[in-house]
C-alpha cells in the first residue's frame, strides 16, 4: 500500500511536469517573441534554485553555494517580473495575450518539477521524515518502471493538451491536412533534425562528462547555447532591417513601419528561398515592440539576462563537481530522461547536486581502497620469460609504492607459484630446487639491483640490496622479497612430493591461501577478539573486504604495464556485479605461426570478445592476464567446486584442459558478470612451432566446446540468475557453437568451390575431390601416433595454403573477367576482407596486423579443418602438450617401453654420470651465461630419459630413481657438494643479496597442512584406475567424435544432394556487373550454402556493431584514465625509463633488461 502511494506521488509530479511542457510549447510559446521563447526556458530553473536553498538550509553545516542559489532564485523571479510587465503594459486590453503570458509563467514553473527527485533525496538525508526517506528509496528502486510509465504519461498528456487546445482556440483540424506538400516536408525535416540533434547532444554530453571534460565540453557549451541561438536569430533580423533602410535611399522609416510594410505585407507562399521567410517570421514576433524606445529594449534584455544569469548561478556547483574515473550515468544524472524541447537546461539541471561546505570545498569521497594479489604460475619458463614478468611486477611496485602510514587506493602483493621446483641430489640431506628455480632467484636479484638504483647516476654509489627472507614450508619452500618501494613478492617453491602440482592445483592453492588465510582468517580472528563490534558489523566488514579484494591471475611469461592493471581495477571498482575482467592479449614471438596467431588473437578480441561483452558476458577470461573479485570466487559453487578432482572422462576435458574457461563458467552460473577491457594490454609468448601450436589448440578446442555446452544446458537457470546473459544471448552462443561444429564441412565446401574455379569441373566432382584428403587423414589418425598426425597435417597445410592462394587469385581474375562480384565465392571473400579491414581501421595502432590477415586466410584449411580433426581424434590425450621436457606420451594409453639395446644402456649410463657431475657444478652456480647454458644442457639430457613424464597426464606418477641406481654411478664422495639443502643452495647463489632463513607462523603452517590434506594431497598411483580412465576417455572420444563428424557429414550430404537435383530448387540471383547493373543473366546458388552465407554475414555484422559500441566505451574509459592519472607519477615513470635506458646503453650485461623494460612500453592506447 505504501509503495502504491509513493508511485502515485511520483506520477503526480511527472503529470505536472508533462502538463507544463505541453502547455508551454504548444499553447503559450507560439504567441511570444523569439527572444522570450529562447530565454524563458532558462527560467525553468526556478524550482531547482528554491530546492537548492531548502536543501542547503536543512544541512547541518553552512554551505558555500547557499548565496549563489538565493541570488539565482531572485534573478529568475526578477526575469518573470520584467517579462510580465513588458507584455501586460504593451497589451493592456488584449485579454488573450495576458492569458498566454500567464500560461507561459505557470507552465515554466510546472516544467521545473522535472528535477525534484535529486534534491528530495538530499533533504531526506537530513530529515526525520520516514515517509520522505521511503519515497526516495522506492523511487530509486523502481526507476526503470517509473521511466516507462512517465514516458507513456507524457505522450498521453501531450495528446490531451493538443486535442483540447485546437477546439478551444477555434481552429479546425482540416488546417493540418491542407498543408501543402513542400511545407509538410519542411516541417518533417525540422522535426527530424530536432529529434536527431537532441539525441546526439544528450549522448555527447554524457561522453563529455565521462571523459572528465565537464567544464570545457559540457557546462560552458550549454551556457552559451541559448545565447548562440538568440544571436543566430536576432542578428539576421537586424541585418535585414538595416538593408531595407539602406534600400530606401535615406527615407526615414522606423521598426514599426518596417513591420507593417515588409513583414506583414509579404507574400506568405514558400516558392522562393526559405531563409528570408524564416527571418521575417522571427521579425514578426518582435513587431509589438518599439525598437526606438530604450525602455522596451531594456525590459526585454533585462528579463533575458536575468533568466540566463539565474540558470548560471543555479548550476554554479557543476564547476566543482567531482567525478570518479568511471562515472556511472545513474550516479551522474538524477534521471535518465531528458527534455528535447529545452535540452541545455534539462542537461544542466538534471546533473546531480552535492552539498559543499563554506569553509572548504567538500572533500571528494574516493572509493574504498582495494587489495590486489598478483598470482603467477611458473613451471619451465625461459630466462626472457621470467625477466618479463618480474620487470612488470617491479614496475608495478614503483607505480604504486607502499608507504608506511599512508593509505593508497590500491595495494599490491605479488605471489609466484613455482610448480615441481625440487629435485633429488645425491649426497644432500634435503631436496634441492631445480635449475629453473635457481634462475628465477638470480633474475630477482638482477631486476632488484636495477630497480633499486633506477634513479641513481652512472658514477654514483650503487645502493645494496637489503636482506630477504627464505622460509621452509609444508609444501616446499618460500622466498619473501620486499621490493624497493615497499610491496612484497613471495615465491612459493612447490615440491610435488608434498603437494599436488599442475596449474589448476596451484590456482586452488593460492585461492585458499590468499582468500582463506589472508582474508577470511584475519576477519575470523578479529571476530574472536571482539573489540566492541557486533557480529553483524564484523560480517559487513568481511563482505566489504571480500568485495574489495582482487586476484590478478598471470602466467609465468606475461608482460604488462601498470596502466593495464589499473584499467581492469576500474571495471571491478565501479561495477559491483563484475566478477572478472580480462584485457587484450597480444601474442609475442617470431615466425609464421606467431604471425598467424597475432591476427587470430586480434580478430578474436576485436569482434568475438567485444560482442560477448556488449550483448552478454565474456565466456573466457584468460588465465594469463585476468582480474577476479574475491567475493565472486568465494561465492557458492565457485572456489569449492573448482577443487573437484576429475573423476569422469568429460571432467578431464572441461576441468583440466581449460581451467580458466571453466572458472568463468562457474562465475557465470552464479550470476557474476565477466567483462573485457580493450585498453588493458598484456603480452604473452605464443607457440612458435607447428607441433606446439597444434597441441595447445588440441586442449583449447574440446574444452571450449564442453564449457559452452555446459552453459547452454543450463541456459534457463543462467538467464534467470545472471542479468547480463539473456535468452537471446544464449541463442547467439548456440549459433556460434553450431557454426564451430560445422566449420570442417564448411571449409571442405570452400575448398570444393576453389577446385571448381581452379579446375573448371562440376561442383559434385570438386566436392568429392575436396572430401577425400581430410577423410583419409581422419581415418588414419585413429591408428598413427600424434607426432605423425602433426607431420601429415603440416604437409597438408602447406598444400592447402597454395590451393587457397591460387583460388583467391582466380576468384579475383574472374571478378575482373566477368565484370561481376555477385558470386558466392567473391561475396564471401569481399565481405570477409571488408569487415576485417574496417575493423582494423577502428584499431589504428594495430592496423599493421592486416598484413598477417593474408596468412590467416591461407591457413583457414589448416586451422579449421585439419586442426579440428586432430583435436577431436586426440581428445583422449589430456597431457599439457606445451613446455614439456619430454615428449608427451599419450594420456589415454601408456605404451609399453621398448627394451633398450646395449648401446642405449651404455649411453644412458654415461649421460647420468656426466649429468651428476654437472649437477655438482650447478650447486655453486653464480649466474654466468656459460653455466646457464650448462643447466639447460642438463635439462635436455634429462628430457631424453625414458622415465620423464609430461606435466599433465591423466594420473601422474611420481617416479623416483632407486638409490642403488644413483649410487652405482656415483663417482665422487657426497661431501664434495657443499649445499646440504635447498636453503643453503639458494643462499650460496649470490653475495649481492643475503637470504636470511626464517620460520613459518605455527597457525599458517597448520593451515597449509590442513589444506594439503583436504584438497592438495599428491595424487596416488593406481595403475588399474589409470587404465580404466584411459578406456573411458577413449569411449568418450569415440562418442563425441562420431556426433561431431556425423553433423558435418549431414551438411555435406545435403549439399551434395541438392547439387544433384534439378535447378528449380536453386536460388537464382540476378547477375550484376561491377557498376551494379543487371546483365540479363542469373547465378544459381544452392539454398544451404546461401543460408550459411547469410548466417555468417549476420553474425559478423552483429559482432561488428558490438565492436563499434565497445570502441566508444573503451575510448571514454581510456581518456578518463589519462585525465585522472597523477601527472607526477607519469613524469617520474618516464624519467625513470629514460634513466635506465641511458645507464644501460653501454652495459652489455644488462642489454636484455633494457630491451624487455622498454618493449611494448606504450601498449595499445585504445
Amino acid at each position: 500500500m505504501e509503495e502504491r502511494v509513493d508511485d502515485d506521488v511520483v506520477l503526480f509530479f511527472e503529470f505536472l511536469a508533462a502538463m507544463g511542457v505541453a502547455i508551454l510549447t504548444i499553447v503559450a510559446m507560439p504567441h511570444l517573441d523569439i527572444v522570450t521563447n529562447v530565454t524563458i526556458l532558462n527560467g525553468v530553473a526556478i524550482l531547482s534554485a528554491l530546492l537548492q536553498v531548502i536543501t542547503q538550509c536543512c544541512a547541518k553545516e553552512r554551505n558555500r553555494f547557499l548565496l549563489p542559489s538565493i541570488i539565482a532564485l531572485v534573478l529568475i523571479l526578477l526575469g518573470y517580473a520584467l517579462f510580465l510587465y513588458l507584455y501586460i503594459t504593451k497589451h493592456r486590453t488584449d485579454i488573450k495575450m495576458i492569458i498566454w503570458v500567464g500560461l507561459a509563467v505557470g507552465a515554466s514553473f510546472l516544467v521545473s518539477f522535472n528535477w525534484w527527485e535529486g534534491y528530495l533525496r538530499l533533504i531526506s538525508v537530513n530529515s526525520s521524515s520516514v515517509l520522505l526517506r521511503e519515497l526516495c528509496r522506492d523511487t530509486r528502486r523502481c526507476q526503470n518502471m517509473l521511466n516507462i510509465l512517465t514516458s507513456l504519461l507524457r505522450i498521453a498528456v501531450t495528446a490531451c493538451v493538443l486535442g483540447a487546445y485546437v477546439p478551444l482556440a477555434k481552429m479546425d483540424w482540416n488546417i493540418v491536412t491542407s498543408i501543402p506538400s513542400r511545407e509538410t516536408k519542411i516541417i518533417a525535416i525540422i522535426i527530424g533534425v530536432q529529434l536527431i540533434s537532441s539525441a546526439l547532444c544528450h549522448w555527447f554530453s554524457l561522453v563529455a562528462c565521462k571523459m572528465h571534460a565537464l567544464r570545457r565540453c559540457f557546462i560552458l557549451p550549454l551556457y552559451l547555447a541559448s545565447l548562440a541561438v538568440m544571436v543566430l536569430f536576432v542578428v539576421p533580423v537586424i541585418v535585414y532591417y538595416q538593408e531595407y533602410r539602406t534600400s530606401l535611399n535615406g527615407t526615414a522609416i522606423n521598426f514599426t513601419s518596417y513591420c507593417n510594410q515588409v513583414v506583414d505585407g509579404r507574400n506568405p507562399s514558400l516558392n522562393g528561398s526559405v531563409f528570408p521567410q524564416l527571418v521575417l517570421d522571427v521579425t514578426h514576433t518582435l513587431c509589438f515592440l518599439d525598437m526606438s524606445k530604450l525602455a522596451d529594449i531594456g525590459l526585454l534584455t533585462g528579463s533575458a539576462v536575468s533568466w540566463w544569469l539565474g540558470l548560471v548561478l543555479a548550476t554554479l556547483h557543476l564547476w566543482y563537481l567531482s567525478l570518479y574515473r568511471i562515472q556511472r550515468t545513474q550516479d551522474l544524472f538524477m534521471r535518465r530522461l531528458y527534455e528535447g524541447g529545452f535540452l541545455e537546461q534539462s542537461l544542466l539541471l538534471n546533473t546531480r547536486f552535492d552539498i559543499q561546505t563554506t569553509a572548504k570545498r567538500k572533500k571528494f569521497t574516493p572509493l574504498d581502497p582495494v587489495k590486489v594479489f598478483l598470482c603467477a604460475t611458473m613451471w619451465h619458463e625461459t630466462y626472457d620469460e621470467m625477466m618479463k614478468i618480474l620487470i612488470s611486477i617491479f614496475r608495478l611496485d614503483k607505480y604504486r609504492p607502499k608507504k608506511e602510514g599512508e593509505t593508497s587506493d590500491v595495494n599490491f602483493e605479488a605471489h609466484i607459484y613455482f610448480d615441481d621446483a625440487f629435485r633429488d641430489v645425491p649426497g644432500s640431506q634435503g631436496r634441492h630446487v631445480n635449475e629453473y628455480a635457481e634462475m628465477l632467484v638470480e633474475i630477482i636479484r638482477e631486476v632488484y639491483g636495477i630497480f633499486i638504483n633506477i634513479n641513481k647516476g652512472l658514477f654514483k654509489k650503487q645502493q645494496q640490496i637489503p636482506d630477504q627472507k627464505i622460509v621452509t614450508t609444508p609444501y616446499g619452500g618460500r622466498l619473501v622479497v620486499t621490493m624497493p618501494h615497499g610491496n612484497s613478492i613471495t615465491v612459493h617453491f612447490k615440491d610435488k612430493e608434498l603437494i599436488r602440482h599442475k596449474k589448476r592445483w596451484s590456482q586452488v592453492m593460492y585461492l585458499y591461501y590468499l582468500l582463506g588465510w589472508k582474508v577470511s582468517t584475519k576477519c575470523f580472528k578479529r571476530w574472536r577478539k571482539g573489540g566492541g563490534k557486533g557480529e553483524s558489523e564484523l560480517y559487513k566488514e568481511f563482505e566489504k573486504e571480500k568485495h574489495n579484494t582482487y586476484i590478478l591471475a598471470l602466467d609465468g611469461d606475461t608482460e604488462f604495464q601498470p596502466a593495464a592493471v589499473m584499467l581492469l581495477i576500474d571495471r571491478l571498482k565501479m561495477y559491483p556485479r563484475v566478477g572478472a575482467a580480462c584485457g587484450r592479449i597480444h601474442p609475442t614471438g617470431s615466425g609464421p605461426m606467431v604471425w598467424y596467431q597475432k591476427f587470430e588473437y586480434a580478430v578474436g578480441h576485436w569482434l568475438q570478445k567485444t560482442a560477448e561483452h556488449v550483448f552478454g558476458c565474456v565466456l573466457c577470461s584468460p588465465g594469463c592476464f585476468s582480474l577476479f573479485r574475491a567475493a565472486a570466487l568465494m561465492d557458492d559453487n565457485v572456489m569449492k567446486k573448482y577443487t573437484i578432482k576429475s573423476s569422469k572422462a568429460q571432467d578431464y576435458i572441461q576441468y583440466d584442459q581449460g581451467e580458466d574457461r571453466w572458472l568463468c563458467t562457474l562465475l557465470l552460473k552464479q550470476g557474476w558478470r565477466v567483462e573485457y577491457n580493450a585498453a588493458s594490454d598484456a603480452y604473452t609468448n605464443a607457440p612458435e612451432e607447428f607441433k606446439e601450436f597444434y597441441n595447445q589448440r588440441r586442449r583449447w578446442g574440446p574444452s571450449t566446446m564442453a564449457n559452452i555446452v555446459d552453459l547452454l544446458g543450463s541456459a534457463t537457470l543462467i538467464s534467470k540468475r545472471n542479468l547480463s546473459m539473456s535468452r537471446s544471448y544464449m541463442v547467439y552462443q548456440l549459433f556460434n557453437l553450431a557454426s564451430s561444429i560445422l566449420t570442417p564441412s564448411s571449409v571442405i565446401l570452400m575448398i570444393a568451390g576453389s577446385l571448381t574455379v581452379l579446375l573448371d569441373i562440376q561442383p559434385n566432382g570438386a566436392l568429392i575431390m575436396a572430401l577425400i584428403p581430410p577423410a583419409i587423414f581422419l581415418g588414419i589418425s585413429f591408428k598413427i601416433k600424434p607426432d605423425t598426425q602433426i607431420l601429415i597435417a603440416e604437409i597438408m597445410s602447406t598444400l592447402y595454403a597454395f590451393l587457397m592462394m591460387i583460388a583467391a587469385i582466380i576468384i579475383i581474375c574472374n571478378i575482373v573477367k566477368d565484370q561481376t562480384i555477385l558470386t558466392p565465392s567473391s561475396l564471401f571473400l569481399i565481405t570477409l576482407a571488408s569487415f576485417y579491414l574496417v575493423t582494423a581501421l577502428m584499431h589504428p595502432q594495430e592496423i599493421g596486423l592486416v598484413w598477417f590477415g593474408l596468412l590467416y586466410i591461407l591457413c583457414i584449411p589448416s586451422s579449421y579443418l585439419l586442426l579440428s580433426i586432430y583435436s577431436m581424434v586426440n581428445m583422449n590425450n589430456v597431457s599439457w602438450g606445451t613446455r614439456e621436457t619430454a615428449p608427451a606420451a599419450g594420456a589415454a594409453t601408456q605404451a609399453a617401453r621398448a627394451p633398450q639395446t646395449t648401446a642405449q644402456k651404455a649411453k644412458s649410463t654415461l649421460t647420468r654420470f656426466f649429468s651428476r657431475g654437472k649437477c655438482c657444478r650447478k650447486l655453486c652456480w653464480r649466474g654466468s651465461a656459460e653455466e646457464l647454458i650448462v643447466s639447460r644442457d642438463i635439462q635436455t639430457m634429462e628430457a631424453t630419459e625414458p622415465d620423464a613424464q609430461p606435466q599433465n597426464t591423466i594420473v601422474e606418477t611420481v617416479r623416483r630413481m632407486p638409490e642403488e641406481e644413483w649410487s652405482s654411478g656415483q663417482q665422487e664422495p657426497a661431501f664434495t657438494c657443499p649445499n646440504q639443502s635447498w636453503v643453503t643452495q639458494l643462499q650460496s647463489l649470490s653475495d649481492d643479496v643475503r637470504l636470511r632463513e626464517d620460520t613459518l607462523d605455527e597457525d599458517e603452517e597448520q593451515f597449509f597442512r590442513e589444506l594439503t590434506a583436504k584438497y592438495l594431497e599428491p595424487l596416488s598411483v593406481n595403475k588399474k584406475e589409470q587404465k580404466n580412465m584411459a578406456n573411458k576417455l577413449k569411449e568418450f572420444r569415440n562418442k563425441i567424435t562420431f556426433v561431431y563428424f556425423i553433423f558435418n557429414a549431414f551438411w555435406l550430404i545435403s549439399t551434395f544432394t541438392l547439387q544433384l537435383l534439378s535447378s528449380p530448387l536453386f536460388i537464382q540471383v540476378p547477375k550484376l556487373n561491377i557498376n551494379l547493373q543487371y546483365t540479363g543473366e542469373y547465378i544459381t546458388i544452392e539454398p544451404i550454402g546461401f543460408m550459411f552465407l547469410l548466417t555468417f554475414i549476420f553474425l559478423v555484422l552483429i559482432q561488428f556493431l558490438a565492436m563499434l559500441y565497445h570502441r566508444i566505451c573503451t575510448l571514454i574509459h581510456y581518456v578518463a584514465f589519462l585525465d585522472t592519472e597523477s601527472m607526477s607519477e607519469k613524469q617520474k615513470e618516464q624519467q625513470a625509463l629514460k634513466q635506465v635506458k641511458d645507464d644501460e646503453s653501454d652495459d652489455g650485461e644488462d642489454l636484455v633488461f633494457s630491451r624487455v623494460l622498454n618493449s611494448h612500453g606504450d601498449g595499445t592506447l585504445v
Side-chain angles (χ1 to χ4, degrees), residues 754 757-758 801-817 829 857-858:
S754 302
V757 175
L758 179 62
F802 282 111
L803 176 63
M804 291 292 294
M805 181 180 64
I806 296 173
I809 295 174
I810 292 177
I811 290 174
I812 296 174
C813 294
N814 287 340
I815 292 175
V816 178
K817 177 182 177 181
L829 186 64
I857 294 176
L858 296 181

Side-chain angles (χ1 to χ4, degrees), residues 373 413 415 512-522 545:
F373 294 105
E413 186 177 313
H415 293 263
Y512 273 87
Y513 171 58
L514 299 177
L515 304 182
W517 172 256
K518 285 185 170 288
V519 177
S520 301
T521 306
K522 181 175 66 174
E545 188 161 2

Side-chain angles (χ1 to χ4, degrees), residues 478 510-523 525 1001-1008:
R478 176 189 298 178
Y510 69 64
L511 288 177
Y512 273 87
Y513 171 58
L514 299 177
L515 304 182
W517 172 256
K518 285 185 170 288
V519 177
S520 301
T521 306
K522 181 175 66 174
C523 294
K525 290 181 178 179
D1001 179 73
E1002 292 183 3
D1003 293 339
E1004 187 173 350
E1005 184 175 354
Q1006 181 63 25
F1007 168 81
F1008 274 111

Side-chain angles (χ1 to χ4, degrees), residues 19-49:
M19 182 69 71
V21 172
I23 293 175
L24 183 64
T25 55
I26 297 175
V27 180
M29 292 183 71
H31 301 88
L32 304 178
D33 64 279
I34 184 62
V35 176
T36 301
N37 283 337
V38 172
T39 57
I40 196 174
L41 299 177
N42 296 326
V44 299
I46 180 171
L47 186 60
S48 296

Side-chain angles (χ1 to χ4, degrees), residues 257-553:
S257 301
Y258 172 74
C259 289
N260 294 331
Q261 298 177 13
V262 178
V263 178
D264 296 338
R266 64 193 166 108
N267 184 7
S269 64
L270 292 176
N271 296 325
S273 178
V274 177
F275 184 74
Q277 301 294 331
L278 179 62
V279 173
L280 294 179
D281 285 337
V282 173
T283 307
H284 178 72
T285 65
L286 298 170
C287 286
F288 76 100
L289 295 175
D290 190 351
M291 290 297 183
S292 61
K293 293 182 179 180
L294 293 177
D296 290 358
I297 299 176
L299 288 173
L300 184 63
T301 305
S303 63
V305 172
S306 298
W307 281 326
W308 185 80
L309 289 177
L311 177 66
V312 170
L313 292 175
T315 56
L316 188 64
H317 63 277
L318 297 181
W319 291 87
Y320 303 93
L321 190 65
S322 300
L323 302 176
Y324 294 112
R325 179 176 295 166
I326 300 181
Q327 189 66 52
R328 303 175 68 180
T329 304
Q330 63 191 39
D331 298 329
L332 180 62
F333 294 105
M334 301 179 189
R335 52 187 296 165
R336 299 296 297 268
L337 303 179
Y338 65 93
E339 299 293 340
F342 33 95
L343 186 63
E344 60 272 22
Q345 294 83 7
S346 172
L347 291 172
L348 288 170
L349 297 173
N350 193 31
T351 310
R352 79 166 191 263
F353 177 76
D354 288 334
I355 299 176
Q356 300 188 14
T357 60
T358 305
K360 59 180 179 180
R361 178 180 172 183
K362 179 182 177 182
K363 186 177 180 181
F364 179 53
T365 304
L367 296 173
D368 295 328
V370 299
K371 179 76 172 182
V372 180
F373 294 105
L374 282 74
C375 300
T377 55
M378 284 189 179
W379 183 42
H380 284 176
E381 277 70 20
T382 64
Y383 177 88
D384 286 343
E385 292 170 346
M386 293 182 184
M387 178 69 78
K388 288 179 181 180
I389 189 170
L390 286 173
I391 286 177
S392 299
I393 294 174
F394 274 79
R395 188 190 291 131
L396 188 59
D397 169 63
K398 187 177 185 301
Y399 183 81
R400 276 294 190 274
K402 182 180 181 181
K403 299 179 181 178
E404 296 294 335
E406 295 185 10
T407 302
S408 176
D409 59 336
V410 181
N411 296 313
F412 294 99
E413 186 177 313
H415 293 263
I416 296 177
Y417 288 80
F418 207 107
D419 253 328
D420 194 12
F422 288 85
R423 59 187 173 91
D424 287 323
V425 174
S428 175
Q429 295 180 356
R431 284 163 65 81
H432 286 208
V433 295
N434 57 26
E435 62 271 14
Y436 292 98
E438 285 183 326
M439 184 165 58
L440 176 63
V441 175
E442 185 65 16
I443 294 173
I444 291 177
R445 180 201 63 79
E446 182 181 353
V447 176
Y448 200 116
I450 295 175
F451 270 87
I452 200 174
N453 297 299
I454 198 168
N455 294 322
K456 302 286 184 181
L458 182 62
F459 300 102
K460 292 183 180 180
K461 183 178 180 180
Q462 302 297 299
Q463 186 175 350
Q464 296 298 316
I465 301 175
D467 295 349
Q468 308 298 338
K469 292 189 297 184
I470 189 169
V471 184
T472 300
T473 62
Y475 56 82
R478 176 189 298 178
L479 175 64
V480 182
V481 178
T482 301
M483 291 182 282
H485 296 277
N487 297 293
S488 66
I489 178 173
T490 304
V491 181
H492 304 265
F493 296 110
K494 295 174 56 182
D495 189 342
K496 70 177 182 180
E497 294 186 359
L498 300 177
I499 194 169
R500 195 177 303 171
H501 67 298
K502 294 190 303 185
K503 183 176 180 179
R504 180 158 75 96
W505 302 115
S506 292
Q507 292 176 335
V508 170
M509 178 181 173
Y510 69 64
L511 288 177
Y512 273 87
Y513 171 58
L514 299 177
L515 304 182
W517 172 256
K518 285 185 170 288
V519 177
S520 301
T521 306
K522 181 175 66 174
C523 294
F524 178 72
K525 290 181 178 179
R526 195 185 309 159
W527 174 76
R528 293 180 62 181
K529 292 180 179 179
K533 294 184 178 180
E535 184 175 349
S536 60
E537 187 175 354
L538 289 173
Y539 178 77
K540 290 180 180 178
E541 290 183 1
F542 176 55
E543 291 296 322
K544 181 179 179 181
E545 188 161 2
K546 287 197 307 181
H547 190 79
N548 295 322
T549 300
Y550 308 146
I551 286 182
L552 180 64

Side-chain angles (χ1 to χ4, degrees), residues 43 154 160 229 238 423 488 521 574 709 761 776 853 1045 1075:
R154 287 172 179 267
C160 292
V229 171
I238 298 174
R423 59 187 173 91
S488 66
T521 306
M574 287 307 303
V709 170
I761 59 178
I776 295 175
F1045 288 109
N1075 298 323

